[in-house]
Amino acid sequence: MTFARLAARLLAMLLLLSPVAGPARAADPIVIKFSHIVAPDTPKGMTADKFKQLAEAMTGGRVKVEVYPNSTLYKDGEELAALQRGDVQILAPSISRLALLGAHEFEVFDLPFLFKDYDAVHRVTGGDVGQKLLAGLAPYGLEGIAFLDNGFKDMSANRPLHGPADYRGLKMRIQPSAVLEAEMKALGATPVTLSFSETYKALKAGTVDGTENAPSNLFTQRMHEVQTNLSVTNHGYLGYAVIVNKAFWDKLPPDIRAALEAAMQQATAYGNEIAAKQNLDALEKIRAAGTTVIYQPTPAELEALKTALLPVHKETAGRIGQATIEAVYGAVGFQP
Ligand code: LMR
């Protein structure tokens, strides 16, 4: 064997034996789990999927985003603790759910008839008040990186809901929120706090009589199939705070973090653009399903509902904090 052939054979053996001698392997991607509780074809579901697509492209594949919809990874009652533990990296809970951590000021978003339209919401979420609220999450080990719309909630039950008197005696499912509890009590209904994933079953079994939610949620969870009546009340707003585990986020390489923040900004802008249409379409799909009578309350009925619900603002002010309430009133031009 010539010296050259011997050298080549030795080199080949070395390459086989040494794990570092081969061509450099691309580093494993950073995995980000984004868990949520709604269907993929809702404003939140579509935003999460858009974020995955943008984040993976904008980081050149250095990040892999796994989206878990429909409470498949964690239910609403479990997801905040999972994020704090670092078992997931991104969530988008409904804003008022952050009150469960002790940040009661987030419940301001649940106040009835506070926001006239999406523009009014964006004056809060896109302004100083919104930024201040998100900054308040740091003590909980979280960072708020964006707000996201769903839409305006309607009421449903198995009887017509025209004026405030029609709610009396109904057991109404709500998400956990002292404001929503006060709202249902103000209508003479009994609030029942239930996890989102349990709501369809409870409505079907009749353990609760009705609920409030945005049409996109009512339709995609098939709640309309077990509710004969839906009233287009638009009495309250449902939106989300996109939150991350702060320790995880802070440790990301700065260029990756910047790319992810840009991806989330684009994804939430997209989500906010489609939210209104998603809800209108869902309402039309509910109408087309033929299971549920959709009722548009008259201006007088809406006024009566508003009169019944406005005392909730004063009742819950101590809990939310007067300064937060006034800042939001100021931003949206609300006169109590
Ligand atoms: C609910 O529990 O009704 C909502 O928070 C669900 C959601 O995340 O839209």
Side-chain angles (χ1 to χ4, degrees), residues 128-254:
D128 291 347
V129 190
Q131 285 321 300
K132 206 167 147 205
L133 282 169
L134 291 183
L137 290 172
Y140 305 102
L142 304 176
E143 185 165 328
I145 57 170
F147 284 105
L148 170 69
D149 291 324
N150 186 330
F152 291 86
K153 291 178 290 182
D154 296 328
M155 298 278 202
S156 75
N158 286 319
R159 70 178 187 214
L161 299 169
H162 293 192
D166 297 324
Y167 296 84
R168 213 165 286 150
L170 291 179
K171 284 188 281 221
M172 296 290 280
R173 182 270 168 178
I174 52 164
Q175 55 172 344
S177 156
V179 172
L180 299 180
E181 231 174 275
E183 170 195 282
M184 291 305 175
K185 285 185 182 158
L187 294 173
T190 305
V192 181
T193 304
L194 264 188
S195 148
F196 186 63
S197 58
E198 302 297 319
T199 303
Y200 167 81
K201 263 185 275 165
L203 287 168
K204 187 170 178 183
T207 45
V208 290
D209 304 305
T211 189
E212 55 153 38
N213 222 312
S216 56
N217 277 345
L218 293 168
F219 178 72
T220 53
Q221 299 297 318
R222 302 178 21 234
M223 295 186 207
H224 63 290
E225 292 178 8
V226 288
Q227 296 276 268
T228 55
N229 296 79
L230 186 156
S231 196
V232 184
T233 49
N234 289 325
H235 61 279
Y237 169 76
L238 173 65
Y240 310 108
V242 180
I243 54 176
V244 296
N245 178 297
K246 189 163 166 42
F248 169 82
W249 208 248
D250 288 346
K251 268 194 245 121
L252 287 172

